[in-house]
Every structure is written in C-alpha cells, then in structure tokens.
Amino acid sequence: MPSYNDQGIILKSFNLSEADKILNIYTKENGLVRCIAKGAKKPSGKFSGRTDLLYCSFFQFAKGKNLDTLCDIEQITTFPKLRSSSNLLFYGILFLDIVNNFAQEEEEESNHIFELLYSMLDELQTSKSPETVAIRFIIQFLSLHGLKPQLETCVACSKEIVKSKDTYPYSSILGGLLCDECLAIDHISISNGILDILGLPTIQTNSDMETKRGALKLLQKHINTRAKKEIKTFDLVFSL
Ligand SMILES: [Zn+2]
C-alpha cells in the first residue's frame, strides 16, 4: 500500500471496535484525513495515549480504499495548557468542531486552515480572554471559506451601509447587514459594539464580556446556518 506523511491535528475520534478507533485528522497538505488507528484503545498498543483530541503530530498513513490506516505518530505538541481549565478546553474543542464540520479531503486551503487552527490553539493556551481568540478564529476561518459576515454593504441589495446608528439589522440567513430599504427580510438587531468587534481585524480585549458574548452568539448563528450539522459545542462554551 502506498504511504504518505503529513502534519495534523486530531479533530475527532470514533470507536470502531474494542481495540481500534477511527480518527478525523486535519492535515496541512491533505486537508481532512479519516483513518483507522489500530490498537489505539489498548493500553499496551503502539498508539496508546497518543490519539487524543487536540494532539498535533507528524503522522504516517497508508492509503486505503475507503479509510487510510495510521502507521506511525511522532508527537509535536498536546497543547497541555488547554487541559488546565475546562473553559480553555471547551473553547479548543469548539475550534476542532468548527474545522471538522467544514473540512474536506484534499481541500485547496488546507495549509492556511491548518496554520490558523494551530496558531489559535496555541494562543488560546495563554489567553485571558478565550472569547476574543474564538471570535478572531471564527472570523478568519469564515474568511478562508469566503463566508465572512458582510458588514460594509447591504447583503441583499449591495447598497453601502452608513454607520451612524446604535443598532443595525442583521440577517443570519443572508449573512450580513441590511440597509433601511431591505428591512422586510427576516433579521435581528445587533449593537454598534458587536459590529465594532466583528469589523475589526484586531479585536480589543477590553470590550465588555456581554458585547463579546453577543458577537460570539451572532457568529454561532452565522456559522450554524452554513454548517453541515449544527455545532453543539457553542452551547457548551456558553454554559461556562
Ligand atoms: Zn438593501
């Protein structure tokens, strides 16, 4: 069987049998790789303790017909600080779920998506404001997929949005702001503060918690409207 090597982060794991697991791994060169990790559940197995979620490693895979087979792992990092608090851990898992939800095999942007996931998980490890890191991660992730919320012009008619109000109408279905003429379209009102957070390339961590949560909730709606399956981990981070 031909084999290949790639750097990746473990996004998801499923039990296949008493001893084996199936892993979803996001790799730098090949995008999503789904593989069988034989013996990964056995304490004495070759992969024991090395196939947990969030682990970043160099992997060797053997090509298979449906699923590839994991042959070897050389660990790079486990992002250990994310495990020091459930708050950081849940945010880390949220990032994995988002990537997993949109991931395709051999997608063109895999290099950028991998780098974004890696750098944001690393930043999350020492962050005092995981909400801010999450907002930045989601906006950049959506940008890479061409799905970023449209905030400069009306998402229905392309008219420029004049920024002079306290609240703005936002359509989650269309994915952006509406002008005054397009208000008949189903929308929610978002505050100026939320708009500031979403529109800035670098977010100030001194925005108040309520505004940051509001921005994150808007992104939750935005991303779930476009996801293959609802991303439930959002509810987990909001429950903290
Ligand atoms: Zn309009």
Side-chain angles (χ1 to χ4, degrees):
M1 265 194 291
S3 69
Y4 62 101
N5 300 305
D6 208 342
Q7 193 177 344
I9 294 171
I10 300 177
L11 302 176
K12 231 172 180 75
S13 132
F14 308 88
N15 292 333
L16 180 65
S17 64
E18 218 159 281
D20 308 335
K21 284 187 193 176
I22 291 177
L23 302 176
N24 281 11
I25 302 175
Y26 200 84
T27 65
K28 201 170 173 177
E29 306 297 335
N30 295 277
L32 178 68
V33 171
R34 299 192 71 223
C35 66
I36 300 174
K38 286 186 181 150
K41 289 168 69 188
K42 281 192 196 157
S44 59
K46 183 180 170 189
F47 303 131
S48 169
R50 299 199 290 162
T51 57
D52 288 349
L53 298 187
L54 290 164
Y55 283 13
C56 177
S57 304
F58 287 111
F59 297 96
Q60 188 182 45
F61 306 101
K63 272 261 175 233
K65 231 180 177 178
N66 295 315
L67 291 170
D68 296 348
T69 302
L70 183 59
C71 305
D72 207 0
I73 299 180
E74 195 184 311
Q75 204 154 70
I76 299 168
T77 179
T78 63
F79 297 106
K81 287 183 190 143
L82 294 183
R83 287 172 170 77
S84 66
S85 89
S86 52
N87 193 14
L88 294 180
L89 185 62
F90 288 168
Y91 272 100
I93 290 172
L94 174 67
F95 294 6
L96 301 184
D97 281 349
I98 290 171
V99 172
N100 188 58
N101 206 288
F102 286 82
Q104 309 277 352
E105 289 168 16
E106 288 167 16
E107 64 188 328
E108 225 173 90
E109 295 293 336
S110 64
N111 215 312
H112 297 298
I113 294 168
F114 174 83
E115 292 294 347
L116 176 68
L117 179 61
Y118 184 92
S119 61
M120 289 296 181
L121 287 173
D122 194 35
E123 204 178 316
L124 195 57
Q125 291 202 90
T126 50
S127 173
K128 299 261 183 303
S129 172
E131 296 80 16
T132 308
V133 183
I135 292 165
R136 281 182 36 231
F137 169 74
I138 295 171
I139 291 176
Q140 288 182 48
F141 181 80
L142 288 168
S143 289
L144 285 172
H145 286 85
L147 297 171
K148 209 174 94 162
Q150 187 174 321
L151 306 173
E152 300 304 321
T153 53
C154 172
V155 74
C157 74
S158 301
K159 200 176 135 184
E160 199 186 331
I161 303 283
V162 185
K163 306 269 168 63
S164 59
K165 297 188 282 188
D166 292 334
T167 62
Y168 294 87
Y170 184 93
S171 161
S172 288
I173 305 275
L174 298 180
L177 295 182
L178 296 170
C179 73
D180 292 339
E181 274 107 86
C182 296
L183 287 180
I185 297 167
D186 188 39
H187 65 267
I188 51 167
S189 281
I190 64 168
S191 70
N192 219 340
I194 290 179
L195 192 59
D196 270 354
I197 289 183
L198 296 180
L200 290 174
T202 52
I203 295 158
Q204 304 298 317
T205 45
N206 55 11
S207 299
D208 66 90
M209 181 60 110
E210 200 189 326
T211 314
K212 281 192 275 193
R213 287 243 159 169
L216 206 49
K217 285 199 167 156
L218 186 89
L219 290 170
Q220 171 189 22
K221 256 189 142 176
H222 183 91
I223 208 163
N224 273 334
T225 307
R226 284 146 189 87
K228 285 183 236 164
K229 229 173 108 185
E230 190 191 344
I231 298 162
K232 299 230 165 83
T233 326
F234 274 107
D235 296 330
L236 205 60
V237 303
F238 289 132
S239 73
L240 293 164

